[in-house]
């Protein structure tokens, strides 16, 4: 059934129930849903199982490092630029 719908949708890659599960977990993680909540939704007894199931998009990792890394604040201060503040946090 899943393969049939995937073909109808023009998806050429293999689609399985695991694909849906993995995508669901990954999208939740990318939306900053706590991994413990994702663990509960997937029914995993161990958080390490959930961490295997999910992965963080490389672009999101770059954005996080560019905006949240503590060194960014130091570099901005050394150049005389004051870090922006939002919701009482420097970004």
């Amino acid at each position: 059934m899943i393969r049939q719908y995937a073909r109808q949708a023009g998806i050429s890659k293999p689609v399985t129930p695991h694909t849906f599960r993995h995508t669901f977990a990954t999208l939740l993680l990318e939306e900053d849903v706590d991994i413990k909540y994702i663990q509960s939704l997937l029914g995993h007894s161990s958080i390490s199982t959930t961490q295997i199931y999910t992965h963080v998009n490389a672009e999101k990792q770059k954005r996080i490092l560019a905006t949240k890394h503590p060194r960014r604040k130091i570099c901005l201060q050394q150049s005389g630029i004051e870090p922006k503040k939002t919701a009482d946090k420097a970004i």
Side-chain angles (χ1 to χ4, degrees), residues 62-78:
K62 289 177 189 175
R63 272 196 318 276
I64 290 169
L65 284 174
T67 59
K68 305 293 184 187
H69 194 284
R71 182 170 275 171
R72 179 180 178 276
K73 185 176 177 181
I74 294 168
C75 292
L76 287 175
Q77 289 171 342
Q78 287 175 347

Side-chain angles (χ1 to χ4, degrees), residues 9-72:
I11 299 170
S12 58
K13 292 183 178 184
V15 179
T16 65
H18 175 80
T19 306
F20 288 114
R21 189 174 167 86
H22 181 85
T23 302
F24 173 70
T26 301
L27 291 173
L28 287 175
L29 188 63
E30 288 180 355
E31 289 298 321
D32 299 322
V33 173
D34 187 283
I35 196 162
K36 293 292 245 172
Y37 181 70
I38 297 169
Q39 175 188 5
S40 174
L41 286 171
L42 295 177
H44 293 157
S45 58
S46 170
I47 194 72
S48 61
T49 305
T50 309
Q51 289 170 329
I52 291 168
Y53 245 93
T54 60
H55 66 279
V56 177
N57 164 323
E59 282 304 310
K60 181 163 183 163
Q61 286 178 343
K62 289 177 189 175
R63 272 196 318 276
I64 290 169
L65 284 174
T67 59
K68 305 293 184 187
H69 194 284
R71 182 170 275 171
R72 179 180 178 276

